[in-house]
């Protein structure tokens, strides 16, 4: 039957979360042959047989196995799934390092503007002058924020930015005739750093942290020689600490001819307060999807622009949008003369850049600085609030996040960091990052973010305190091993999901 009324349900009877059903059928189970989400009225024009216009080698011989569902079932299915999901729009999401803050809705309206998102990436320059101006402005703003000279928006995420920045360093060193092949990384660095170094063909050299959780400069001095191509630093580091000797470290690395790479994924700690360029860095990537108003975590889209000093600008990926020097307000493209080439098709995830620029303009420099002030204030207040119940292996003022340890609680009660994290779900919060960074046992890496109110930060502190108290009470302790019991799914086997994905039932 051809249905012209496409909006009616069918297939397997749908379950509503409101009637207490635990399982949601897969979209394939909802499928009924012939059912469609939209169909066309018969226009009287004969259907074209694809075989009459395409060579047979371009035609499928078998039907594609796609689910066939009505619009009503499709929307019901995904709405029910969404209602079982915890999200940044729902409440606090203190997942350390990831900056899962609330993203303002005006950024969605910018991303929804047809003039921005309906443009074909192959459009001729004269039809996309607005887009080019936007990308050039975003580059100028990002350079102002980071203290750098030029930037590329091609990399699609932070790790892609790291690889790009390292390839730029490699191209620059090759150009100068250097054979240096080592990149130094502190042991408190983000896990993507050593992976990017290896991918870009350099060798990793790790330097330890000292007892305050910062780079051990004596250990650094011992590994510095002419074979060092550069050093990659995450700042604030993954312990949430600002590397106070950062300018001295930059000077030491420069003295042996190495370049300084700043992992600025967590720029929300330092906006308008300090700039990597002023601290002596040559390359910095930032994560627009963390700091500048793009929701993330479900696999994208992201944007990990790389900004560089003047000496490296010629090596950036291209082609790059630019102001045409001869005329005001006319924009075009140019290829940096020693470019490493493309790292993304077209212009990268351009709509994420549009969202980021809108966020920068909306907030202004004072608003961006306030965002960082609040990120740091919220983290320090939360840390101080739970200080009687949790240990901090590296004490002192933190930046936008801090790392607590449940080691003592585990020794005394058997309750682990994982149990504490899972128990937070029952109290209406997402869990923090756990067991990272690796240098802290039973780590709980907590980033309340700048968008949470004092009331929410207080409630999060109360939840963490309540869990710690229950861990010490023999009557309530065991329940923590079972948490969460109130969520649609309990403790998932994350490794199995990655190794044996079962997408079709
Ligand atoms: C998130 C993060 C990255 C990686 O960014 P992706 O966009 O996930 O690739 C790198 N470094 C630090 C410090 C981060 O927090």
């Amino acid at each position: 039957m051809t249905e012209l009324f496409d909006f009616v349900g069918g297939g397997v009877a749908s379950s509503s979360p409101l009637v207490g059903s635990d399982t949601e059928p897969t979209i394939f189970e909802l499928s009924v042959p012939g059912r469609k989400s939209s169909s066309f009225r018969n226009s009287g024009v004969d259907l074209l047989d694809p075989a009459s216009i395409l060579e047979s080698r371009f035609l499928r011989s078998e039907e594609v196995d796609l689910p066939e569902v009505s619009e009503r079932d499709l929307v019901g299915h995904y709405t029910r799934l969404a209602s079982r999901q915890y999200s940044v729009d729902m409440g606090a999401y203190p997942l350390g390092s990831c900056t899962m803050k609330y993203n303002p809705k005006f950024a969605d309206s910018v991303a929804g503007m047809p003039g921005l998102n309906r443009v074909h990436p192959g459009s001729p320059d004269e039809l996309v002058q607005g887009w080019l101006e936007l990308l050039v402005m975003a580059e100028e703003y990002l350079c102002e924020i980071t203290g750098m000279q030029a930037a590329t928006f091609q990399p699609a995420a932070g790790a892609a930015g790291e690889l790009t920045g390292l390839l730029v360093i490699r191209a620059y060193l090759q150009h100068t005739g250097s054979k240096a092949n080592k990149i130094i990384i502190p042991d408190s660095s983000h896990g993507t750093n050593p992976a990017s170094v290896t991918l870009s063909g350099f060798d990793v050299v790790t330097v330890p942290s000292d007892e305050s959780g910062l780079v051990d400069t004596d250990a650094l001095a011992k590994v510095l020689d002419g074979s060092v191509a550069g050093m990659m630093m995450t700042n604030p580091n993954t312990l949430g600490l600002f590397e106070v000797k950062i300018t001295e470290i930059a000077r030491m690395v420069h003295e042996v001819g190495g370049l300084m790479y700043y992992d600025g994924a967590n720029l929300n700690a330092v906006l308008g307060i300090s700039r990597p360029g002023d601290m002596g860095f040559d390359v910095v990537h930032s994560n627009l999807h963390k700091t500048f108003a793009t929701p993330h975590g479900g696999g994208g889209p992201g944007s990990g622009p790389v900004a560089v000093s003047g000496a490296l600008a010629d090596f950036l990926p291209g082609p790059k949008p630019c102001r045409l020097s001869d005329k005001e307000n006319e924009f075009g493209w140019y290829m940096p003369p020693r470019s490493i080439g493309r790292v993304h098709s077209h212009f990268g995830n351009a709509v994420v850049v549009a969202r980021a620029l809108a966020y920068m303009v909306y907030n202004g420099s004072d608003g961006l600085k306030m965002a960082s002030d609040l990120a740091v204030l919220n983290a320090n207040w939360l840390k101080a609030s739970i200080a009687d119940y949790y240990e901090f292996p590296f004490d002192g003022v933190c930046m936008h996040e801090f790392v607590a340890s449940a080691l003592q609680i585990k020794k005394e009660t058997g309750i682990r960091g994982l149990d504490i994290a899972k128990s937070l779900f029952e109290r209406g919060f997402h869990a923090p990052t756990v067991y990272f960074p690796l240098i802290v046992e039973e780590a709980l890496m907590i980033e309340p973010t700048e968008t949470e109110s004092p009331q929410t930060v207080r409630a999060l502190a109360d939840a963490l305190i309540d869990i710690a108290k229950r861990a010490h009470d023999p009557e309530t302790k065991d329940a923590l091993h079972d948490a969460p019991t109130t969520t649609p799914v309990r403790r998932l086997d994350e490794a199995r999901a990655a190794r044996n994905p079962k997408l079709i039932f």
Side-chain angles (χ1 to χ4, degrees), residues 447-469:
E447 177 178 10
T449 80
E450 56 268 36
T451 49
E452 297 313 319
S453 68
Q455 287 79 0
T456 302
V457 177
R458 183 71 250 170
L460 179 56
D462 289 346
L464 284 163
I465 292 169
D466 177 57
I467 295 167
K469 282 183 178 161

Side-chain angles (χ1 to χ4, degrees), residues 96-99 156-160 162 189-193 234-236 238 263-266 285 287 289-290 296 302-304 401:
S97 191
C98 299
T99 314
E162 291 171 25
S189 77
H190 193 265
T192 48
N193 292 188
T234 302
N235 188 55
T238 55
D263 181 335
N266 301 132
H285 90 260
N287 281 20
H289 47 290
K290 286 181 182 165
H296 64 110
S303 178
E401 65 189 356

Side-chain angles (χ1 to χ4, degrees), residues 232-253:
M232 242 180 144
M233 290 184 78
T234 302
N235 188 55
N237 68 22
T238 55
L239 297 165
L241 303 173
F242 194 96
E243 294 282 353
V244 288
K245 291 190 190 158
I246 203 156
T247 47
E248 184 190 334
I249 292 170
R251 186 186 49 74
M252 290 166 72
V253 174

Side-chain angles (χ1 to χ4, degrees), residues 30-47:
L30 288 173
S31 176
V32 174
R35 207 171 284 275
K36 293 185 178 67
S37 282
S38 58
S39 50
F40 297 104
R41 284 184 181 278
N42 187 342
S43 61
V45 178
D46 286 342
L47 278 181

